[in-house]
Amino acid sequence: MTVCNIAVLKGDGIGPEIVTECQKVLEKVCEQENVTINWEEAHIGGEAIDCFGSPYPEETLQICQAADAVLLGAVGGYKWETLPGEQRPEKGLLALRSSLNLYANLRPALVYKPLKAASPLRSDILGDRLDILVVRELTGGIYFGPRGKRVNAQGIEEAYDTEIYNKEEIRRIAKVAMQAALGRSGKIISVDKDNVLESSRLWRQTVKEEAEKVSGITVQNMYVDNAAMQLVRNPGQFDVLLTSNMFGDILSDLASMLTGSIGMLPSASLGEPGKPGVFEPIHGSAPDIAGKGIANPLATILSGAMLLRYTYQLEGAAKRIEKAVETVLENGYRTADLAEAGCNKIVGTVEMGNLVCAQLDA
Ligand code: NAD
């Protein structure tokens, strides 16, 4: 019997409500797969500041490093907004990511058929089912390169940031994209600016070399400006979209907005193979609705599906969760954030979790 050791960081605001529903769903699907889960709860964000004086206490670090995977809710809230930047709850997230060396960020942007109306794109452009996986490099590039300010020879103030990628960094993120693509169509669109940037030329060359080593993978290169245009012109041409840190920052927000609903979007941040990744919804702690029982738990439940897929290769179980979510939506159930005019099946957080569990039993 497989035993999963999962660290659970519920965090602040709606975090505890949505993570509890995800745990319920994972328990249900794992029971069906004959898999046991050991949950280890730890503190992060504002509630960790209140208990331990730090948004990422040493004990949390130890628990996360020892786990197979980390399931995270969200951090932040009004109570901690006046603290200095270094002591804010959000600092806990950055500390978590860097302590686990999470260099790959995976964000699926998936438009479920019943939610097509929520997308800002026209229905004919969206097609039947939009399903894009953005694979973004997370720990290199211009956000981490040398930067500074100076006064130039003409006495004018100037500032600079530097994009640096080494082959190893490119190779490892390319491998993550290829691994993901093998479970999908095998088609990767790799985004760069190789007509201008030297770092992009190394990116393109290295991705090509890696792709040649793996059968079943095709790589198409696309300039980042064109990729932005194509995402809104013809999003159906994308399956796995591989990008550097800054290009991915911009394009992943664009891609996620195509789905139109923040409460539906999961994510995975991965480090070295065999080391724990972090699985979390892309939204924040929604303090405006915390404690009301109306938060949408589906992004967190779908993050749980990603956890099973990328940590334990339980592809069947992950797909069953995704299918259950889709069926619940097809049956007309909506949390308040998704409810369209005239919808009479509005349910709360717990009921939505129950509906997904019931669907797994069906
Ligand atoms: P937010 O994502 O928390 O909320 C934006 C809007 O979306 C709000 O109206 C909220 O009610 C709604 N919303 C978000 N998730 C929802 C869900 N699951 N169901 C229904 N509605 C949902 O962003 P914000 O308001 O800018 O930030 C609130 C706090 O969250 C801040 O402290 C911010 O720093 C923090 N934050 C944390 C993370 C994280 O933990 N990864 C990410 C973003 C923001």
Side-chain angles (χ1 to χ4, degrees):
M1 177 188 274
T2 308
V3 179
C4 303
N5 294 304
I6 303 177
V8 190
L9 314 184
K10 294 184 174 175
D12 307 315
I14 60 171
E17 300 166 57
I18 54 181
V19 170
T20 301
E21 295 315 302
C22 176
Q23 286 181 280
K24 229 160 70 179
V25 170
L26 289 184
E27 283 284 354
K28 167 69 69 183
V29 82
C30 283
E31 188 188 304
Q32 294 168 341
E33 299 275 332
N34 206 17
V35 169
T36 301
I37 306 180
N38 289 331
W39 303 105
E40 183 98 54
E41 285 208 24
H43 299 271
I44 193 165
E47 51 100 21
I49 294 173
D50 290 351
C51 297
F52 301 96
S54 158
Y56 189 52
E58 177 63 25
E59 187 191 281
T60 304
L61 165 78
Q62 303 283 343
I63 288 174
C64 292
Q65 283 181 336
D68 303 335
V70 178
L71 177 64
L72 175 68
V75 302
Y78 308 132
K79 183 176 173 189
W80 305 281
E81 266 174 14
T82 50
L83 290 174
E86 279 303 299
Q87 296 162 29
R88 295 276 288 270
E90 293 77 4
K91 201 72 197 165
L93 281 184
L94 301 180
L96 168 69
R97 288 172 188 154
S98 72
S99 72
L100 299 180
N101 190 21
L102 304 174
Y103 63 82
N105 183 236
L106 276 61
R107 264 198 200 189
L110 203 151
V111 181
Y112 290 99
K113 214 171 172 182
L115 296 182
K116 271 176 84 172
S119 172
L121 281 194
R122 269 198 341 252
S123 169
D124 59 313
I125 296 177
L126 272 182
D128 259 2
R129 195 170 192 274
L130 185 71
D131 183 357
I132 301 172
L133 178 67
V134 179
V135 178
R136 168 190 170 195
E137 202 289 326
L138 207 56
T139 53
I142 197 163
Y143 294 168
F144 292 88
R147 73 196 56 191
K149 274 179 156 187
R150 62 192 170 203
V151 175
N152 71 13
Q154 289 77 42
I156 302 169
E157 197 182 351
E158 60 184 23
Y160 62 93
D161 300 275
T162 319
E163 170 97 346
I164 299 180
Y165 268 113
N166 66 49
K167 248 179 128 64
E168 202 40 54
E169 288 170 320
I170 303 168
R171 200 173 275 142
R172 66 183 186 177
I173 191 71
K175 280 186 183 161
V176 172
M178 282 165 208
Q179 194 59 40
L182 285 174
R184 299 166 60 103
S185 70
K187 185 183 160 201
I188 295 175
I189 292 186
S190 175
V191 171
D192 61 41
K193 191 71 184 166
D194 125 303
N195 49 345
V196 180
L197 301 176
E198 199 59 47
S199 54
S200 279
R201 287 192 268 277
L202 184 67
W203 180 278
R204 189 175 283 208
Q205 176 59 29
T206 309
V207 171
K208 178 172 176 276
E209 287 165 14
E210 286 307 304
E212 281 166 1
K213 294 180 195 163
V214 186
S215 68
I217 293 289
T218 58
V219 175
Q220 179 190 341
N221 299 299
M222 194 178 276
Y223 296 142
V224 61
D225 40 351
N226 187 29
M229 184 181 78
Q230 296 298 335
L231 273 168
V232 286
R233 196 185 74 88
N234 177 15
Q237 70 188 289
F238 293 90
D239 185 15
V240 174
L241 198 161
L242 168 62
T243 81
S244 63
N245 200 345
M246 182 168 67
F247 294 162
D249 191 6
I250 299 162
L251 293 180
S252 65
D253 267 25
L254 198 166
S256 61
M257 197 50 224
L258 299 180
T259 72
S261 51
I262 196 167
M264 290 297 299
L265 296 172
S267 78
S269 299
L270 307 176
E272 293 303 329
K275 299 280 184 194
V278 173
F279 301 83
E280 57 180 318
I282 74 157
H283 59 70
S285 58
D288 53 332
I289 58 167
K292 294 184 179 168
I294 58 170
N296 182 351
L298 294 178
T300 317
I301 290 172
L302 293 167
S303 301
M306 292 185 85
L307 186 157
L308 297 182
R309 171 174 293 125
Y310 292 106
T311 310
Y312 302 107
Q313 290 72 52
L314 289 169
E315 183 61 30
K319 282 217 167 87
R320 287 201 302 118
I321 294 175
E322 289 160 353
K323 183 71 197 145
V325 166
E326 186 161 17
T327 307
V328 168
L329 294 170
E330 270 164 8
N331 290 343
Y333 294 101
R334 303 280 188 274
T335 41
D337 56 305
L338 301 174
E340 56 277 334
C343 171
N344 61 359
K345 288 184 173 175
I346 299 180
V347 296
T349 312
V350 175
E351 199 178 348
M352 186 53 101
N354 290 345
L355 284 162
V356 176
C357 285
Q359 202 52 52
L360 285 166
D361 268 338

